[in-house]
Each structure stands twice: as structure tokens, then as C-alpha cells.
Amino acid sequence: MLTKQGSKRRRTVVTVLLGAGALLAATGPAAAAAPDSAADRDVYVSPTGSDHAAGTAHRPVRTLGKARDLVRQRAPHLTRDLTVHLAPGVFRLTEPLRLDARDSGGNGHRVIWQGSGDTELNGGVRVTGWRPVPGRPGLFAAAAPQGLDNSRQLYVDGVREQRARGPLPVTVKATATGYTASADTLAHWRNPKDVEFVYTAGEALWNIQRDGLGQWTEPRCPLAAAEGTTITMAQPCWDNSTKRVLFPDIPGRSVNMVGPADLTNGRHPTYAENAFELLDTPGEWYLDRSAHVVYYLPKPGQDLRRADVEVPVLEKLVDARGIHDVAFRGLRYSYATWLTPSSPEGFSEIQAGYTITGANGWATQGLCQFVPGGTCPYASWTREPANVSVSHGQRVEFSDSVFAHLGGAGLDLVDGTKESQVRGDIFTDISGNGVQLGGVDKPTTDTDADVVRDIAVTDNHLYGLPREFHGGVPIVNGYTVRNTLSHNQIDHVGYSAISVGWGGWPDKIKQPATPNLSHDNTVSDNLIFDYMLMLDDGGGVYTQGITGSSLDDGEKVTGNVIHGQWGLGKGVYTDNGNTYETIRGNVLYDMAYANVGSTHVDYRDGLGNNDPTLIEANYWEQGDRDKNDKGVVLRGNQLLANPAAAPAAVVANAGLEPAYRGLLARRVGGPAPAEAPSRVGTFAVAGKLYATWNPTYAFNNAPVTAYVVTATGGGRTFTATISAADFAKRAYAEVPGLTDGTAYTVTVAARNAYGTSEPSLAAAPVTPGPKPGALPGVPTSAKALPSATAASIRWNPPAATGDTPVLGYTITVSDGRTITVQGRDALVTQPTMKGMTRVVDNLKPATTYTFTVAAVTATGTGPAATFTATTSE
């Protein structure tokens, strides 16, 4: 087990015995040239060592900085690999481990920073001395340790806890500088400037609002002041999150082309976070920076006298620049934060953790040729920094390690890093992106020194992220060359799984995508499932912009198995300006609303051709016929009758290779109840209500087995429990026995083997009562695309839903079968009018079938669309 909990963490020195080639403790000038000299001797480090020691196995040094200094002395004279042996235990860093070219290998040899698997690089401080808070039953406080001035995360026994949050206690109306509140409540809170408003996007559904800048984002802005009923938001976050330059000749289109032009709706705060007054739920915490006090409301069973409470302080654990021939193995990178979102910059997200920053950034940043004074290149917004970072590195390796409990992105390989590997690692419990390769600030360059190329990210397990900046992506690849993303397993994530490319948005205004240096990038043989569990408009593999100069050197997406998409999107998403991508031999199923999506127009040649794309030999539910649509070629794709019919060889090859499958059994963090679900929505009919939500994807070492729905109203509480398996099929639950005319609010909690989570934020109130009885309309554009033994049934939701939202559909087949269609896609496609797909199998070849599709609501089943199709021979 990778994580030792609380005071049980080992801090003893493990003696590493040197073998037959043990080195003598030689010193002096002659030793520098001798194979068994101090210059060649490995370095040993232990949390209980001494920096006055020699760094030998029996006399280890204590700090990474001292170990680095010893390496720096020996690196120029290497005659073999030099290993820095880090003993098991916790290395508490007071500053990042900063490395440069002097800390590199040489003469054909490497410097290896070798941990035990239980070696932790810790950027936090322990909080001890907890005492009950008088007058607040259950609440505890402790003095903030020295060095803790600010943080955005707190962990108890390896489990991330929730910064205090809750609904706004007032209603607000947006103004040019913030809000006017219905009362002066916030002005009386103890630290209004600590408060952060969060704007969760995703698709609007039932009574869930779509806040923020687009379905794929979740901006955050702090308050600058609360005086009386006037709330002033921090700048530049407020303007960067609410303003856009509009094209005068293109109505409704913003110059940056990302997100809506009219942000009026996006100004509604989904909830507030980081206030003492919001501490009302076990598991919530608050750092009172002005009083230097940490508050925590323990969960049942937590004993703060014995618990290991960690608060991250450092923003970097490793900061390496210009290193080469260096490997980092068997390490745990833990407890680092990222504080820019707590500053007036906030977190004005554009996409995938990139943000608009700087005064007047909304009007100029990355807008290049499109506005006077726009900075270049186009779309060069600000990258979210990683807690472990390598720039201008070469032949750098990260392997057999864990990136967890981190507050920014996990790992950066950026700015000219080359010929490097990320292999056999775990990435989980990270606030933002997992691995970031390259950037988007240099789409073209005349010097190879700035090109990120030849990086392999293989056989890693990325899951349970992002935890705070929910538009984050496990693997983000910018403008790069010959990178390989292969054999990774990515599961239980909040948004897209892999994002490749940038700069394609000018497609939206009939302009060519940004020219860039990218070519020969490969996304292959990955297993991706249970993704887009919180936000929408993404994909399993998302790509935009130009990927090469032809189909020969463009991006290859091959051999991946992708399924279990929750949010509205596509399995392989070819977004704006996407050009020269080959999508071949993938298994794609169970996703809304397309397996492979979005044909875009190539505006570079003025001929109106589509962006050249090859979609070939995939196994999918989409069922589209072979065709050449002005450069977008579909050929040889096979209708997947059901998941079990997928080619066994492709399925077996996807994801972690056999030598790395042990990663799936490793535990990171403590056993604990799961995180609460998000984005709860409801509607009511006579005597009952319906609830939907976004499922939990941070489950703390035990899968979610059930959800508990609690409806409160009229002084009474009603609960309903639905298994996680049933919720995955239906995407909603019912709470019966309610009183008509009484308003009810609903929360949802997740249950796993370790207990029940804290409740979610509440949905907006709904009031049960009788409905007039209006049924939904007829589904539109219904058709069947058959193979010999199956048919892809395609339709669009009805324009009118009647009394209630659509809950599902019924398909009938002329052979006598009735098929019930349920799931999240049935709910979320209706308000957006996106297409639905289901495959009907067990058909006979060369046979004509009649199908019907009808929408089902809480009121009943509407009229059906009828259509026929003949299977092939």
C-alpha cells in the first residue's frame, strides 16, 4: 500500500546494502578519476539523516537539497549511473527541489532519484493541537503552523476534505463590478475577501442552471469587498470572466470564439466557498488567514488527536530546468497547492485549465490579429502550472511513482522538453490537469530548443480527477511533435480524458486554424471509461486545430477502447479546425451523442472542403455508411451490435500492459466515504419528485454502491436509495409520498464500503402538484442504419416535452420486441436537441423491419415516430 496513514507513517531509515561493487569512501583529487571513487559513489538520503553526514548508506544526508549538492559535485565525472537512494518516509520540503543542467547525467550515464515506493516528497505542514470551539458543537480549531499563510486544500489521513461551501445566503443581481445583494449578510461575515464565488457550467438540465463560460468550464472569482448590499468582485477576475470582445460584423460571436458572447447567465454564482460562516457540514474546513487559525468540522469517527492533518504550502515540489539524463522513480509527490486562484486573478477558465489573466486580459490576451493590441500568438492563454515541472529537459523519466494530493496540475513536461518518458505512474486526487505536455504559446518556432517532442506517456493509471478545477483533463498535449500517449487507463474523471491540439477556433468565423508545428502525435491503445462525469461538451479523446501537414503525419487515434461517457459529448471529438486526423480501429460505445463527431470546413484553401479526416475500421454504434464528404473519409467501420461483440484482441490490448496492471490494485490515500455528488436537479409531479445528479468520481478506495436522496420540506424529511448500478442505467431517482403544494429541496449523498458521503449542495426547491396531462411530442429525424444482424437507431428528441422533461424512450421492433431506453443521454439531449443512438441487435439478414421510437415522461408515453430499414445479406 502506497500511503501510510497518520502517525503510522514510517520515518525510520532503511539501510540499503551495497553489493559486491560496494564503493570505498575515497577522497581527494585521485578519487575523481577512479571508478570506485567518491565521484562515482551513490548518494543516500533519509528523513532522519544529517546534512553534516557523507551521504553514504550508513551516514545518509537528510535533505534533497544536500543530496542535489553531492550529485552536482559528482555528475561531471560519472563512469556509471549515479543513484540517489531516498529511504522510505516523509521528506518535508521547505522549498522546491530545484534542478538545472548541473544536476544531469553525463558520459552516457544517468542520475536516478530512486525512492522506495513509500518515499514521499511532501510540500505541506501538519496541523496539530486541535481544540473544540466554544459555542460551536463539533467544530475544532488549531493554530496555523509556521509557514502556513494560505492554502486551498486540507487532507485528513490522506483524504481531501471540502473547503467550507454553501449556497449564497442572499439573492444577487449582477452589476458592472459585481452584484447587488438582497441583504447585507455577506458584509457581516468575518472575512468577505476570502469568499470565492464558483460558476459551475455543464449543460442546463431540469432546474440545474448552466453557469460559467461554457459547458466545459468552471470559473472561480474571489470577492474584493462586501459593503452593505454591494458586492464588488476582484479584478481582473471579474472582467476576464464576464466580458468578451464581439465582432461588429458577426452577431453574437466573441472575438476569442470560445464560450458564449452573452455572459449574462454566466454571472450567476452556483455557490460560495471559503467562509467561516459556511462551516456547517462534517468534513468542511476553513483557514482564517487574518487570525492564523484553521477550523475543521470532523466527520463521524475522525479523532483529530490521532489524525494526520496535512495542509499544502509549497506550490512546487520539483522545479527542473535544463536537466538531461535524469530519472525519478518510486516517489510520491504529495501536498502541494496553487494560490493564483485565491488572488485577484482568480480562475477565469477558457478550456482545459487554461485561463485569461492580467488586467484587460479579456480584451487582448491571445487575440493577436483579431483586435488592435491583441497579444500573439492567438489563443495563448495562461497554462495552469504543475506542482512537478520540467522545462527544456531531455531524456527525463518519471516512473513507478504517484502524483496525488496536489493543488495545481500534476506534472509539466514543457518548453522544449524532449525524448522523455512518463511510465507506470498513478495520477489521482489532483486539483486540475494530470500531465501537461507542451504549451500553446509557441505554435511555430525557428529553433528546436523550444519544441516539445518525442515524449511517451504510457502505462499510467489516471483517475479520480480533477478535484477542484473541474474542467481539467488527465492528459493535455499542446503543440508537440511525435508524442505518444499509449496504453494508459483513464477512468472516473470529471471532463474529457485526453486533449490534443489547440488554436482551431477561428473555424467558427470562417478563418483558418492557427498554423502550428504539431505532427506525428499518437493516441493509441488507451482504455477510457466513466469520463465527463461532471461537465459537458468534451470527449474521450478531444482534438482541435491542425494536427500535421497531411494524413500521413497528422494525429493518429488508434486501438483505443472508449465507453461510459456521462456528459454530453463525443467519444472521439474532432473539434474546430481539426485537420489531418486518422481515427482507426477503436472500440466506441455508450456515449452521448456521437462516437466520432464534428466535421469542420477547411478554410485554408478557399474551396470549402472539409478538414481532411480519416475515420476507418472502428467498431462503433454510430452506424454511418462509407463515404467521402469533401475530404472526410469514412470507410470500413463496423456496427457494434453490443459491447461483447467488440474484437477481443483490441479490448485485451487497450489500457495497461500486463507488467503494469498491478497499478490498479494500489491504494492512494485513506479509506473513506466517497466525495459528494454534484449538480443535483429536480422536478415534481403529483405526490412525488424526480432527481438527477452528476455521479461521484472520487470514491476514496471503495466504489460507490448506492446513492441516498433526501427531500426536505414542510418540516419532514423523505429519503430514497438507489443502487449505483441502477442509477447508471436510469440517471434519475424518484422520491414518492410527498405532499402536494409543499416545496422540497433535495440533496444526494454517495455510499461506499466506508460509509456515506456528506450531502451534496441542494437543488433548487420544487413543489409537487398535479399536471394537466400533456404528453411529449413525436421524436424527429428518426432512422435506422442497419448491418446484417443489427441496426443503429438514430433520432432527435421531440421539440415539445409536454408536462415534464423526457425520462427515456421506448423502441419497438416489428419482431415483437419492446426496448426501454434510459440513461443520462436521454435526459441531457432533450433540452439541447442533440441526437440519440441505440443499437438493436439479433436481427435477421436481408429482412425488412419496422421500428418506432416514442418519448417517455412522468406523464406518460407520447406518439411514436415510425420508420423501416432492411438489413444487409
Side-chain angles (χ1 to χ4, degrees), residues 377-398:
Y378 169 67
S380 57
W381 298 302
T382 303
R383 183 179 64 240
E384 176 183 280
N387 298 129
V388 178
S389 179
V390 177
S391 60
H392 293 101
Q394 191 167 5
R395 295 181 298 280
V396 180
E397 173 195 324
F398 289 88

Side-chain angles (χ1 to χ4, degrees), residues 1 29 92 94 99 105 189 199 216 355 386 438 478 616 640 643 653 657 705:
M1 188 165 65
R92 291 199 176 272
T94 58
L99 304 175
W189 284 8
Y199 304 83
W216 56 92
T355 57
E616 179 180 50
L640 186 63
N653 188 54
E657 295 176 282
T705 56

Side-chain angles (χ1 to χ4, degrees), residues 14 25 105 170 221 360 507 510 609 667 693 703 729:
V14 172
V170 293
C221 279
N360 215 40
D507 176 280
K510 300 184 178 181
N609 291 328
R667 294 176 61 174
W693 56 90
K729 294 175 184 177

